[in-house]
Amino acid sequence: MSDVVVREAVSEADRRAGFAVRREVFVVEQGVPEDIEYDAYDATAVHVLAVRRADGTALGTGRLLYGADAAGKTGGAEGVGSLGRLAVARDARGLGVGVALVRGIEDAARARGLTAVDLHAQTHALGFYERLGYEAYGDEFQDAGIPHRAMRRVL
């Protein structure tokens, strides 16, 4: 993983690169309608980007919601952020990029004083998040026509 850098996406170019990965994964591959993939939270979220060190190619992205923005996704739990929109480009899967992104988002959460992170995992990805210390809770639900479960990890 030394050839991959994970960092907060601060420039407009970073954000565009992350949005392009999200579009490819969620809209093109998974059929999520584009009008629900991007939302008002994108303006205030902390976006994290994984790039290839050698050339800066975007390999993956994710975002962290916190404060009032996270409340609707975390049940209003104090100090809990919401990890979402985690996407890894097809040619970067299986290389540890997803793990690096989750840890980068957790670091961003800690830096903002959060004590836990929630996420809504597609059910096929439950094992991935469980290996990273997340525990599922609540019933399965549909989001964009895809089955999900809520999960949480105390930091």
Side-chain angles (χ1 to χ4, degrees):
M1 279 300 297
S2 62
D3 57 333
V4 175
V5 176
V6 174
R7 57 181 163 76
E8 287 189 26
V10 293
S11 72
E12 189 56 37
D14 283 350
R15 290 171 60 96
R16 280 194 309 272
F19 288 174
V21 172
R22 281 172 48 184
R23 184 179 187 290
E24 188 61 33
V25 172
F26 296 123
V27 177
V28 176
E29 289 182 28
Q30 297 183 359
V32 173
E34 196 159 7
D35 61 330
I36 66 171
E37 171 53 30
Y38 306 101
D39 59 26
Y41 295 120
D42 281 326
T44 55
V46 177
H47 296 271
V48 175
L49 187 65
V51 299
R52 187 176 295 121
R53 185 182 304 275
D55 62 9
T57 300
L59 303 174
T61 190
R63 74 179 187 187
L64 172 71
L65 305 181
Y66 61 100
D69 286 351
K73 297 184 180 289
T74 65
E78 190 70 26
V80 180
S82 176
L83 183 161
R85 303 305 204 267
L86 190 77
V88 176
R90 184 186 304 270
D91 63 351
R93 294 179 193 153
L95 303 177
V97 173
V99 172
L101 282 165
V102 170
R103 295 305 187 220
I105 291 167
E106 291 170 350
D107 289 345
R110 281 186 199 91
R112 286 156 179 84
L114 302 178
T115 57
V117 173
D118 271 18
L119 57 85
H120 293 164
Q122 294 182 10
T123 55
H124 72 82
L126 287 170
F128 168 78
Y129 290 110
E130 287 168 345
R131 287 188 295 278
L132 297 178
Y134 287 80
E135 295 180 13
Y137 67 90
D139 294 329
E140 184 176 296
F141 61 93
Q142 295 288 313
D143 186 4
I146 301 168
H148 285 70
R149 290 275 312 275
M151 303 185 84
R152 176 172 291 172
R153 179 172 186 252
V154 175
L155 299 175

